[in-house]
């Protein structure tokens, strides 16, 4: 089969280890031919590039700034222009290719015209990998409003979201809570086409032995004799950074240490807190290269997930998978609408508390520090193999074809 994948994420190499590259590589391993379109954003200064790699065709298109540090107005208008840019690219570079399947992820929700173009031109099936319920998530945390310029953007994107659902033959959601949310809030969507197709990876054991663990901790100045709680990833409004800071201020246990690695709009707030209060049990680091970050995570003890308590949509962060590959039990500190906490607790490899309750957070930390994590690590890795393997995701998608 010829498969087209549309994304605004980085797709530098089909050999990378990420939720999308792993899945696409799985399709390649089963004999399918992969074509991708991804952006070279304005800030990179790069021009459009088309490369062939290991049987995959990777097209990088010059676009506006659609992710990262761009403000929401700039990102909004850049994303609105994406579908026409992608359609022109398909006509120019893939005019002689007949696609059997077009897959695409959210964010963004502005691929509807491009998806419909491929469906009509080639009779292709369409599969949405729903990773982000936008624009409601932006409303939840105050990044959009129902009035003014941002209100106009919200109405536009909500219409785009509905169009994308309409043009999708199948919608794969990250969890059952996501399925339930989409069906409840979009009654025009046929529930039969909405299913669980979660974030998935090529299952790799990323844990480290004792000697490597000590070596890595020494390299990064991480205490050797403490339970290390690590948070890695975006440090923006969705993570509820003020609550995280509140938790760090109240955490005084001597044998607990908090390592925070990442970048984002809220990073300066963490930096200001550490500069002002100089806590001896917290270390803040800028984002590391993926290989370095993965090895450092393996040298820690507990993976942290934080989500703002105001969310009404059920986020399911993909960083969970990195923790699972490293065999780090998880403490999920989230709103009550996501079911990621239920997954880690019912799976026997983690703890959960709401992200507006510092007392419960401290109770969880105390319980973790007093626990033997050995058996939880093995349960966690088995759960990863059974539920979040790209082979499982591949079978979920392919049964429709």
């Amino acid at each position: 089969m010829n498969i087209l994948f549309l994304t605004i994420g980085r797709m530098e190499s089909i050999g990378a280890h990420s939720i999308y590259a792993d899945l696409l590589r799985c399709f390649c391993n089963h004999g399918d031919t992969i074509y991708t379109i991804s952006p070279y954003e304005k800030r990179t200064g790069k021009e459009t590039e088309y490369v062939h790699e290991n049987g995959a065709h990777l097209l990088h298109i010059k676009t506006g700034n659609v992710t990262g540090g761009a403000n929401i107005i700039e990102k909004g208008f850049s994303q609105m222009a994406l579908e026409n840019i992608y359609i022109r690219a398909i006509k120019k570079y893939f005019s002689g290719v007949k696609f059997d399947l077009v897959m695409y992820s959210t964010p963004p929700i502005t691929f509807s015209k491009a998806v419909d173009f491929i469906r009509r031109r080639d009779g292709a099936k369409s599969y949405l990998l729903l990773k982000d319920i936008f624009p409601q998530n932006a409303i939840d945390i105050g990044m959009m409003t129902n009035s003014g310029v941002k209100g106009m953007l919200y109405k536009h994107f909500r219409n785009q979201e509905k169009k994308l659902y309409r043009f999708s033959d199948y919608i794969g959601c990250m969890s059952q809570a996501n399925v339930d949310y989409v069906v409840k809030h979009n009654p025009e969507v046929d529930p039969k086409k909405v299913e669980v197709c979660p974030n998935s990876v090529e299952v790799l054991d990323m844990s480290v032995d004792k000697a490597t663990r000590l070596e890595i901790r020494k390299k990064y100045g991480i205490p050797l004799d403490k339970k290390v709680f690590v948070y890695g990833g975006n440090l923006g409004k969705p993570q509820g950074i003020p609550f995280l800071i509140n938790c760090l201020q109240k955490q005084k246990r001597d044998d607990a240490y908090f390592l925070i690695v990442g970048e984002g709009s809220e990073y300066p707030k963490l930096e200001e807190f550490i500069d002002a209060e100089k806590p001896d049990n917290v270390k803040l680091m800028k984002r590391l290269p993926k290989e370095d970050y993965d090895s450092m995570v393996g040298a820690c003890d507990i993976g942290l997930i934080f989500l703002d308590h105001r969310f009404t949509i059920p986020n399911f962060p993909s960083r969970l998978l990195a923790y699972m590959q490293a065999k780090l039990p998880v403490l999920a500190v989230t709103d009550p609408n996501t079911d990621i906490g239920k997954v880690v607790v019912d799976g026997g490899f983690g703890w959960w508390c709401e992200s507006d309750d510092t007392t419960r957070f401290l109770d969880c930390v105390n319980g973790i520090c007093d626990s033997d994590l050995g058996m939880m690590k093995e349960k966690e890795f088995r759960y990863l193999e059974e539920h979040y393997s790209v082979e499982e995701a591949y079978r979920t998608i392919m049964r429709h074809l």
Side-chain angles (χ1 to χ4, degrees):
M1 288 198 314
N2 290 324
I3 298 171
L4 176 63
F5 179 64
L6 310 176
T7 181
I8 61 166
R10 293 179 182 175
M11 190 51 65
E12 299 291 344
S13 170
I14 197 74
H17 288 293
S18 67
I19 58 174
Y20 299 131
D22 284 6
L23 179 60
L24 297 179
R25 198 165 55 251
C26 183
F27 275 92
C28 286
N29 293 340
H30 283 275
D32 299 306
T33 303
I34 294 294
Y35 297 78
T36 73
I37 305 180
S38 60
Y40 272 165
E41 297 182 64
K42 181 180 178 181
R43 71 169 67 88
T44 69
K46 295 181 178 181
E47 298 296 324
T48 295
E49 183 181 27
Y50 185 29
V51 297
H52 295 208
E53 179 195 86
N54 298 325
H57 306 258
L58 311 181
L59 177 59
H60 309 288
I61 296 294
K62 183 178 179 180
T63 70
N65 293 321
V66 294
T67 65
N71 67 59
I72 193 168
I73 302 297
E74 180 185 4
K75 285 194 292 188
F77 283 108
S78 294
Q79 289 184 15
M80 286 164 62
L82 272 183
E83 53 190 0
N84 288 328
I85 293 173
Y86 277 35
I87 289 172
R88 288 197 298 271
I90 292 167
K91 290 178 177 179
K92 180 176 180 179
Y93 292 93
F94 301 147
S95 61
V97 183
K98 184 177 186 298
F99 293 108
D100 303 287
L101 171 66
V102 54
M103 292 194 300
Y104 39 97
S105 60
T106 58
I109 44 80
T110 51
F111 284 149
S112 56
K113 281 172 64 176
V115 169
D116 192 43
F117 173 75
I118 291 297
R119 291 172 77 232
R120 290 174 181 274
R121 190 191 77 170
D122 298 346
K125 292 291 185 182
S126 56
Y127 198 102
L128 169 59
L129 298 166
L130 188 65
K131 308 299 184 187
D132 187 45
I133 298 178
F134 178 84
Q136 182 58 45
N137 57 358
I139 290 286
D140 287 346
I141 57 176
M143 294 177 70
M144 278 191 181
T145 63
N146 289 309
S147 60
V149 174
K150 291 182 179 180
M152 292 171 61
L153 277 177
Y154 168 74
K155 292 180 178 66
H156 170 80
F157 284 128
R158 178 59 172 144
N159 288 332
Q160 286 289 104
E161 179 190 17
K162 286 179 174 291
K163 282 173 62 179
L164 192 64
Y165 293 164
R166 186 167 73 250
F167 292 148
S168 299
D169 293 313
Y170 304 99
I171 302 173
C173 297
M174 295 181 292
S175 70
Q176 187 58 48
N178 280 262
V179 170
D180 295 341
Y181 184 95
V182 170
V183 171
K184 178 180 178 181
H185 293 273
N186 300 276
E188 71 280 3
V189 173
D190 182 356
K192 292 179 181 177
K193 73 177 189 180
V194 188
E195 64 186 2
V196 175
C197 185
N199 294 327
S200 59
V201 289
E202 178 184 353
V203 176
L204 301 172
D205 186 343
M206 302 293 287
S207 61
V208 299
D209 59 31
K210 188 173 182 180
T212 305
R213 171 191 175 95
L214 293 175
E215 179 184 335
I216 293 170
R217 287 200 180 194
K218 288 177 181 178
K219 176 181 177 180
Y220 291 104
I222 303 169
L224 306 179
D225 58 346
K226 299 181 186 294
K227 275 207 167 80
V228 178
F229 295 70
V230 62
Y231 174 88
N234 186 47
L235 296 168
K237 292 187 181 298
Q239 284 68 49
I241 299 303
F243 178 75
L244 168 58
I245 291 172
N246 195 15
C247 290
L248 296 175
Q249 287 173 321
K250 294 185 177 181
Q251 169 52 45
K252 304 300 181 184
R253 186 156 177 151
D254 291 337
D255 54 352
Y257 190 84
F258 296 85
L259 175 63
I260 303 167
V261 186
E263 292 177 341
S265 62
E266 303 294 280
Y267 184 95
K269 290 183 179 178
L270 280 162
E271 199 169 38
E272 182 181 345
F273 154 67
I274 289 173
D275 288 344
E277 302 194 20
K278 296 179 172 55
D280 58 8
N281 65 340
V282 181
K283 185 180 184 71
L284 176 64
M285 298 175 64
K286 288 281 189 180
R287 186 184 300 274
L288 293 170
K290 188 175 188 306
E291 186 175 337
D292 294 343
Y293 170 74
D294 287 344
S295 66
M296 187 172 68
V297 166
C300 298
D301 298 293
I302 297 292
L304 291 170
I305 291 172
F306 274 85
L307 288 171
D308 192 293
H309 196 264
R310 292 173 291 173
F311 276 121
T312 63
I313 58 103
N315 290 291
F316 205 97
S318 61
R319 70 180 54 88
L320 171 67
L321 303 180
Y323 297 151
M324 297 179 81
Q325 288 183 304
K327 297 183 179 178
L328 264 61
V330 175
L331 171 55
V333 187
T334 75
D335 60 90
N337 295 298
T338 177
D339 51 354
I340 196 168
K342 184 178 189 311
V343 166
V344 302
V345 172
D346 290 354
F349 57 91
W351 293 259
W352 173 75
C353 66
E354 289 195 41
S355 52
D356 66 345
D357 188 344
T358 53
T359 299
R360 179 63 185 135
F361 173 83
L362 298 178
D363 289 343
C364 286
V365 171
N366 288 334
I368 291 167
C369 288
D370 295 334
S371 296
D372 179 357
L373 304 179
M375 289 186 65
M376 297 184 79
K377 294 181 178 183
E378 298 310 314
K379 283 184 180 178
E380 181 177 34
F381 200 73
R382 286 198 300 272
Y383 198 98
L384 174 67
E385 291 176 314
E386 293 170 6
H387 297 276
Y388 301 130
S389 161
V390 287
E391 288 289 342
E392 286 296 318
Y394 169 82
R395 284 191 285 270
T396 297
I397 296 168
M398 284 301 296
R399 72 184 181 193
H400 301 299
L401 298 164

